[in-house]
């Protein structure tokens, strides 16, 4: 999932020399549900079954991985098309969401509908985390070992499922922080894995979209290496997601739900 590209290295003393280094691939991923074009994501072209599963869960199109029994990946010269089949009782949600996404009106009423869709109420998280401070610091130390693509390129985010003792059970990488979390959640759903007293660790800032993905995945504790937004904190409090942010090897900042 990398390509070797040529660069010119410029030193502080003005000297220049040619260098080659790997960079992460980023390609358009067109997602279709039941034959309806739904979204195009810019993503790392790996673990696409996990990505589409997690994305469908985050979009509230499905509630379980088995409600999307078929996922077909088609590679083209311009990108990748992923065609997913939803069970009939979930297919109606696709048409409804597409209607909200493409609605246009000079009166502004459709805009109000779209705002309501953007900030829909979140379910209250019922899972609990039994991970203590030591587990968080242990996971932060171990995360690099689960980021082979980022070690090679320095430009990729990671999302990890962490056990209550700080052991990283599963990790996914992507150039997009949202995509990385969708991949992790999708991989968990496809494998039948739960949080089991653990938590999610993300190598990114804490935006409200990531909090919403955590809430919809019933994640009790979300740890991010960078800062949250005010809306992220508000949405986490409303959903009962505990936040730990600005997570570094020497200190973290806990935000009560």
């Amino acid at each position: 999932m990398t390509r070797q590209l040529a660069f010119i290295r410029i030193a502080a003393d003005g000297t220049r020399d040619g260098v080659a280094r790997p960079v992460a691939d980023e390609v358009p991923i067109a997602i279709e549900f039941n034959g309806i074009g739904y979204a195009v994501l810019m993503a790392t072209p790996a673990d696409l079954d996990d990505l589409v599963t997690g994305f469908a869960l985050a979009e509230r199109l499905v509630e379980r991985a088995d409600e999307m029994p078929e996922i077909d990946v088609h590679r083209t010269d311009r990108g990748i098309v992923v065609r997913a089949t939803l069970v009939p009782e979930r297919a109606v949600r696709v048409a409804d969401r597409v209607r909200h996404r493409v609605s246009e009106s000079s009166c502004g009423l459709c805009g109000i509908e779209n705002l309501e869709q953007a900030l829909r109420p979140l379910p209250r998280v019922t899972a609990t985390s039994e991970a203590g401070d030591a587990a968080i610091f242990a996971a932060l130390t171990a995360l690099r070992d689960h980021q082979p693509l980022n070690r090679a390129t320095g430009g990729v985010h990671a999302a990890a499922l962490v056990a209550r003792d700080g052991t990283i059970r599963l990790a996914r990488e992507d150039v997009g922080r949202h995509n990385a979390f969708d991949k992790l959640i999708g991989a968990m759903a496809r494998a039948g894995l739960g949080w089991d007293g653990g938590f999610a660790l993300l190598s990114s800032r804490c935006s409200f979209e990531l909090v919403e993905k955590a809430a919809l995945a019933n994640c009790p504790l979300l740890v991010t290496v960078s800062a949250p937004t005010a809306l992220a904190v508000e949405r986490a409090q409303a959903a009962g997601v505990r936040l730990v942010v600005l997570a570094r090897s020497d200190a973290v900042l806990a935000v009560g739900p």
Side-chain angles (χ1 to χ4, degrees), residues 34 61 66-69 85-94:
N34 289 35
L61 299 178
D66 61 8
E67 293 178 333
M68 194 163 54
T85 301
L86 276 59
V87 295
E89 56 268 29
R90 297 303 183 204
V92 66
R93 296 187 181 185
V94 176

Side-chain angles (χ1 to χ4, degrees), residues 69-82:
E70 295 182 22
I71 302 175
D72 297 315
V73 177
H74 303 270
R75 297 180 182 271
T76 74
D77 292 339
R78 297 193 176 189
I80 299 173
V81 180
V82 183

Side-chain angles (χ1 to χ4, degrees), residues 32-196:
E32 297 179 2
F33 294 112
N34 289 35
I36 298 175
Y38 190 87
V40 177
L41 308 178
M42 298 304 298
T44 302
D47 304 308
L48 296 182
D49 287 4
D50 295 338
L51 172 62
V52 173
T53 301
F55 179 78
L57 289 165
E59 288 287 295
R60 309 191 200 194
L61 299 178
V62 298
E63 296 176 6
R64 304 186 313 273
D66 61 8
E67 293 178 333
M68 194 163 54
E70 295 182 22
I71 302 175
D72 297 315
V73 177
H74 303 270
R75 297 180 182 271
T76 74
D77 292 339
R78 297 193 176 189
I80 299 173
V81 180
V82 183
R83 299 187 174 105
T85 301
L86 276 59
V87 295
E89 56 268 29
R90 297 303 183 204
V92 66
R93 296 187 181 185
V94 176
D96 183 60
R97 289 303 310 279
V98 168
R99 179 178 67 83
H100 281 289
R101 289 160 67 96
V102 303
S103 59
E104 295 179 357
S105 172
S106 60
C107 69
L109 293 177
C110 291
I112 291 174
E113 289 182 359
N114 286 335
L115 288 175
E116 290 174 349
Q117 287 289 312
L119 295 176
R120 288 172 291 170
L122 293 171
R124 189 79 181 175
V125 170
T126 57
T128 59
S129 175
E130 300 170 13
D133 297 341
I136 293 174
F137 287 113
L140 287 167
T141 300
L143 184 60
R144 178 176 172 78
D145 293 336
H146 296 266
Q147 295 179 269
L149 188 55
N150 189 62
R151 284 201 308 274
T153 66
V156 178
H157 284 293
L161 164 63
V162 185
R164 68 191 71 188
D165 65 354
T167 301
I168 293 180
R169 301 170 59 194
L170 182 68
R172 289 292 184 267
E173 291 185 280
D174 198 279
V175 291
R177 63 186 188 277
H178 304 91
N179 298 335
F181 202 15
D182 277 341
K183 286 181 177 180
L184 176 69
I185 292 169
M188 291 173 61
R190 286 160 51 80
L193 298 176
W195 299 103
D196 300 329

